Amino acid sequence: MLTVKLLIFVLLLVYALYSFGMGIKERYEVLVQAKPDNRFDEPGRRLSGTLAIVFGQRRLLKEPGAGLMHLFIFWGLIIFSAGMVQFILQGLFPGAELPVLGANPYFYLLVDIFGLLAAAGMLISAYRRYIAKVPRLGVGDWSEEKIIVALIAGIILMVSAYFVSTGAQAAASEDARYALAPVSAGLAALMGDMSPAVRRVIHESFWWLNVLLALGLLVFFRYSHLVHPLAAPLNIYFRNLLPRGGSIRDLDLEDEEGENFGVSKITDYTWKQLFDCYACAECGRCQDNCPAYLSGKPLSPKQLIADLKAQLPKKVNKFGALKEAHAAAPAEDGQVELPELAGNIISEDVIWSCTTCYACQEHCPQLNEHINKIIDLRRNLVLDQSEFPGEAQLAFTNLERNFNPWGVGWSARGDWAEDSGVQVMEDNKNAEYLLFVGCAGSFDDRIKNVTKSLVKILQAAGTSFAILGSEEKCCGDSARRLGNEYLFQTLVEENISAFNDYGVKKIITACPHCYNTLKNEYPRFGGNFEVIHHTQFINRLIEDNKIVLSSAEKPVQLTYHDSCYLGRYNDEYEAPRRILNGLPGVSLTEMARNKNKAFCCGAGGGRMWLEEHIGKRINVLRTEQALETRPEIIAVNCPFCLTMIEDGLKEFNEDENIKAKDVAELVAGYLQ
């Protein structure tokens, strides 16, 4: 009997491993059709980060409820699987034991406990999905849900079968190894009065049920779209190691062999971008934090990944053969013609709704990269199809002609500095710092006051600085994020040339978009400079006692808005808060959404230049969140945010009662 049992097990195992291997092979064949992407560098850094994220589950635990559920499932199945190996081994070869573990009663105690945790986690998952109906999970119809239900039921049955079988075995043999195992020992006690023959039948039957379910999971991998438990750790290993603010894929505009600049078809993405589709757990955390989705726009980062996944060129049918995902007629070379994505599979409203705020990626447990996918689609619309909103066309034209989105004559860029005592680099080539003013600080009448306030602070501290004046050009942030890579690279080259002409080493800027672009994107084009945001520099001046602040005339109630490009992109949350908390008489009350959970103002990703035609205005939602703190002042660190918050205050008719001010304006008001 043992020989027959072993033979059957081996045949089942071979089939399960074959199916599992074919599942990997078939998905690999999809990925190799995509564009290359080097994600194999720095293996030590990749591995250490993966171990910390995967085994520590730290990103999932940012949300304690769902995170704890996932922790139960993850660690429960890992420890329980070790018990399963011993369990199956002993069923095949009575008396066989895993080294160290097999004879240790505490091992069986842990297996029981973690098996229960795994089952509990799956039950909680089912409760959240089908009873509580958590909105972001987006439960589909039965054709979609039957796979999820089967997986949940299969794991719970597998754990249950293990307990019943080990209970029967412990009752029959009075094995001391199960003495500390609460479930196995408890079931053994219940079976104590059964005849040995009945216990043997129960043990053997549930042993086979357990084996079939366990091996069935390997087969399930090939035919199911739920492959994220295996794909996610790999996706985390292959994560982007570039700075967050510099992770947009560069285009080789001189590549004459390239068919297109942006992403036209699904295989125009890189293999890593497609691998995201396999890793996605469809948990909806990205969607829950997306300002576009929450304001009624058609963009859902979760749905975007799902829609792209549906377009993968091949997928497995229920019989295991590969089939084409699209029914289009084959082209002359025999390959199925894949559909255009931008404006077809992914609507233009979806593509242009993104503010690139990074909230989706900040909260994605699998480290999926949503933003680059959208920017690549914008590149296709802009560079390949010349299809984009009219407002974007105006911004592009203004950038091309006058190097700023406002369209004001380039020669007037330094006019704000007249009578301010500020020198241009041409007259002060030995200045320690270049003050990169940015377009808003140079041309927008409201933001000019921020620039002048910063200048007042720098002069009070005796800082050696100068500006480029008419030689300064837009940093290119909006052009790149709107998809116009050609215009972006043109602006980068001209700015870097000007910086190098004057030997610039250090740059101060009051705009987080300029800060991020100069700091994280310019280095890949040869521009290596120390870039400092004005809140960081002001905080340094205060800490070094370079400036002295006067006492407060009266208390001020204030709240603070984190800009996306200083906060989530560059992890700078504390410098502005240290400044504000140090201002005499200021009481800072945080909004409910703050720091890495802060809500976007709506102007990022080039949206500053586009109208919102769908849903609620994002800046109005953010202003409403600020008003909940009952502030007298809403402090910001970004010219775009300042504009959007002021517009929001006007929407609520609060612009006369509550003021939005940049941190520099607040500090300048306290200078002695």
Side-chain angles (χ1 to χ4, degrees):
M1 288 296 295
L2 181 60
T3 303
V4 174
K5 180 179 182 179
L6 181 59
L7 178 61
I8 294 173
F9 175 80
V10 169
L11 290 174
L12 290 173
L13 177 63
V14 168
Y15 175 71
L17 292 175
Y18 165 78
S19 296
F20 182 75
M22 288 300 295
I24 292 176
K25 175 178 178 292
E26 289 156 1
R27 290 174 174 88
Y28 174 78
E29 288 172 348
V30 171
L31 298 179
V32 296
Q33 297 181 59
K35 290 185 177 180
D37 188 1
N38 180 20
R39 297 296 180 99
F40 300 93
D41 58 326
E42 301 187 56
R45 180 182 171 192
R46 291 187 179 279
L47 181 59
S48 61
T50 302
L51 294 175
I53 295 171
V54 173
F55 289 105
Q57 299 281 285
R58 65 187 188 196
R59 291 181 71 87
L60 283 159
L61 289 171
K62 288 180 179 179
E63 186 180 312
L68 194 61
M69 174 203 74
H70 198 277
L71 196 68
F72 284 177
I73 297 171
F74 178 78
W75 278 108
L77 289 178
I78 286 180
I79 302 300
F80 181 76
S81 296
M84 284 279 294
V85 173
Q86 168 64 33
F87 173 69
I88 294 173
L89 183 66
Q90 189 171 351
L92 294 171
F93 308 102
E97 294 178 345
L98 290 174
V100 181
L101 301 176
N104 192 329
Y106 290 101
F107 171 64
Y108 297 92
L109 167 65
L110 288 175
V111 172
D112 269 28
I113 291 173
F114 279 90
L116 282 175
L117 289 176
M122 298 306 293
L123 287 171
I124 294 170
S125 174
Y127 171 80
R128 295 178 74 244
R129 193 171 186 88
Y130 301 113
I131 298 177
K133 294 185 177 180
V134 176
R136 75 181 190 203
L137 296 178
V139 178
D141 57 29
W142 172 244
S143 64
E144 298 174 344
E145 295 301 310
K146 62 184 179 182
I147 297 177
I148 300 174
V149 172
L151 179 62
I152 294 173
I155 291 177
I156 293 173
L157 281 173
M158 182 181 69
V159 173
S160 302
Y162 168 86
F163 287 141
V164 173
S165 185
T166 54
Q169 180 185 19
S173 61
E174 297 182 358
D175 195 332
R177 291 179 299 180
Y178 295 102
L180 298 178
V183 183
S184 298
L187 289 173
L190 292 175
M191 299 179 195
D193 295 334
M194 293 180 180
S195 67
V198 172
R199 288 195 293 255
R200 281 196 298 272
V201 170
I202 292 175
H203 167 64
E204 197 68 20
S205 299
F206 281 90
W207 185 90
W208 275 112
L209 177 59
N210 185 281
V211 166
L212 289 172
L213 289 168
L215 296 181
L217 289 176
L218 296 178
V219 180
F220 179 87
F221 171 81
R222 183 182 184 188
Y223 304 112
S224 168
H225 67 277
L226 298 176
V227 298
H228 77 269
L230 292 174
L234 290 173
N235 204 53
I236 292 169
Y237 179 85
F238 292 122
R239 66 194 182 279
N240 200 325
L241 296 183
L242 293 170
R244 284 184 173 187
S247 59
I248 294 177
R249 186 164 58 100
D250 298 329
L251 292 185
D252 181 3
L253 299 173
E254 304 300 323
D255 182 10
E256 297 181 356
E257 297 181 1
E259 296 180 4
N260 48 272
F261 291 114
V263 163
S264 172
K265 302 173 183 178
I266 192 71
T267 50
D268 290 332
Y269 280 122
T270 68
W271 68 264
K272 172 58 177 65
Q273 289 176 308
L274 298 190
F275 198 75
D276 283 355
C277 298
Y278 293 133
C280 180
E282 300 182 18
C283 66
R285 293 191 185 205
C286 56
Q287 180 176 288
D288 261 8
N289 289 280
C290 174
Y293 178 82
L294 295 175
S295 63
K297 311 294 188 295
L299 169 62
S300 160
K302 170 187 168 181
Q303 190 61 47
L304 173 71
I305 298 292
D307 289 343
L308 293 177
K309 186 176 183 178
Q311 300 306 312
L312 294 178
K314 292 180 179 179
K315 55 185 177 182
V316 183
N317 68 15
K318 63 181 180 180
F319 301 109
L322 291 178
K323 69 176 183 179
E324 298 297 341
H326 309 286
E332 292 182 0
D333 59 2
Q335 296 295 316
V336 171
E337 189 69 22
L338 297 172
E340 297 283 338
L341 293 177
N344 181 21
I345 302 301
I346 311 296
S347 76
E348 292 189 24
D349 285 334
V350 168
I351 294 169
W352 294 112
S353 291
C354 180
T355 67
T356 68
C357 70
Y358 208 89
C360 53
Q361 294 184 211
E362 174 73 37
H363 297 284
C364 177
Q366 327 302 341
L367 300 187
N368 282 344
E369 300 165 19
H370 311 76
I371 296 171
N372 271 2
K373 295 178 180 63
I374 292 173
I375 289 178
D376 280 335
L377 293 173
R378 289 182 176 181
R379 286 168 166 173
N380 175 255
L381 290 172
V382 173
L383 299 177
D384 299 326
Q385 299 188 43
S386 296
E387 291 286 341
F388 42 86
E391 307 101 303
Q393 175 63 72
L394 179 61
F396 293 155
T397 300
N398 288 337
L399 283 166
E400 290 166 357
R401 293 177 178 175
N402 287 298
F403 313 113
N404 69 85
W406 274 267
V408 181
W410 61 268
S411 61
R413 195 173 188 102
D415 287 0
W416 64 269
E418 291 180 1
D419 303 322
S420 67
V422 176
Q423 292 183 301
V424 294
M425 293 295 292
E426 186 178 13
D427 298 328
N428 186 9
K429 296 180 181 179
N430 295 321
E432 183 179 2
Y433 294 95
L434 165 66
L435 174 58
F436 191 88
V437 181
C439 302
S442 298
F443 297 112
D444 185 287
D445 288 338
R446 172 64 185 89
I447 310 303
K448 287 178 185 178
N449 189 62
V450 176
T451 306
K452 292 175 181 178
S453 295
L454 176 56
V455 166
K456 182 179 178 182
I457 295 168
L458 296 177
Q459 290 174 335
T463 305
S464 171
F465 73 97
I467 63 173
L468 284 173
S470 61
E471 293 184 82
E472 180 185 293
K473 296 175 176 61
C474 177
C475 68
D477 162 84
S478 291
R480 167 168 261 200
R481 282 151 185 81
L482 285 172
N484 196 333
E485 182 72 6
Y486 177 81
L487 180 54
F488 165 74
Q489 292 193 21
T490 299
L491 293 167
V492 170
E493 290 174 5
E494 296 199 25
N495 273 324
I496 290 177
S497 176
F499 297 164
N500 290 338
D501 285 346
Y502 292 112
V504 171
K505 302 296 182 185
K506 301 177 183 179
I507 301 174
I508 302 170
T509 180
C511 175
H513 297 267
C514 297
Y515 170 71
N516 179 74
T517 303
L518 296 171
K519 177 184 176 183
N520 296 316
E521 295 183 328
Y522 274 44
R524 295 207 300 276
F525 297 91
N528 295 287
F529 315 99
E530 178 187 349
V531 187
I532 310 163
H533 187 257
H534 76 309
T535 58
Q536 297 170 326
F537 197 78
I538 293 170
N539 180 62
R540 187 188 304 175
L541 294 177
I542 294 173
E543 291 181 345
D544 293 343
N545 296 315
K546 295 290 184 65
I547 55 176
V548 181
L549 304 181
S550 62
S551 58
E553 295 181 2
K554 63 177 183 176
V556 177
Q557 185 66 33
L558 177 149
T559 193
Y560 172 67
H561 165 73
D562 288 283
S563 68
C564 305
Y565 275 78
L566 185 63
R568 276 187 290 270
Y569 274 96
N570 288 283
D571 198 34
E572 181 56 87
Y573 300 108
E574 298 308 318
R577 285 175 169 81
R578 284 196 292 268
I579 294 171
L580 295 173
N581 285 319
L583 294 178
V586 166
S587 177
L588 172 61
T589 301
E590 295 282 6
M591 292 184 236
R593 287 181 176 267
N594 63 79
K595 296 189 177 179
N596 70 342
K597 293 184 178 180
F599 203 78
C600 179
C601 76
R607 290 288 324 176
M608 177 72 179
W609 318 110
L610 307 183
E611 287 297 327
E612 287 187 60
H613 302 290
I614 304 173
K616 298 179 180 178
R617 295 181 67 86
I618 295 173
N619 67 312
V620 172
L621 291 179
R622 184 51 168 169
T623 305
E624 185 176 23
Q625 295 165 13
L627 292 177
E628 290 173 358
T629 68
R630 299 179 181 275
E632 297 172 67
I633 294 174
I634 302 173
V636 300
N637 63 54
C638 169
F640 288 1
C641 295
L642 181 56
T643 299
M644 301 302 275
I645 295 296
E646 286 194 334
D647 286 349
L649 288 171
K650 292 175 184 176
E651 189 76 16
F652 289 100
N653 296 316
E654 291 284 1
D655 51 310
E656 295 297 327
N657 305 315
I658 301 170
K659 299 300 180 183
K661 291 190 176 184
D662 188 90
V663 172
E665 293 178 298
L666 291 169
V667 173
Y670 282 89
L671 286 179
Q672 287 188 356

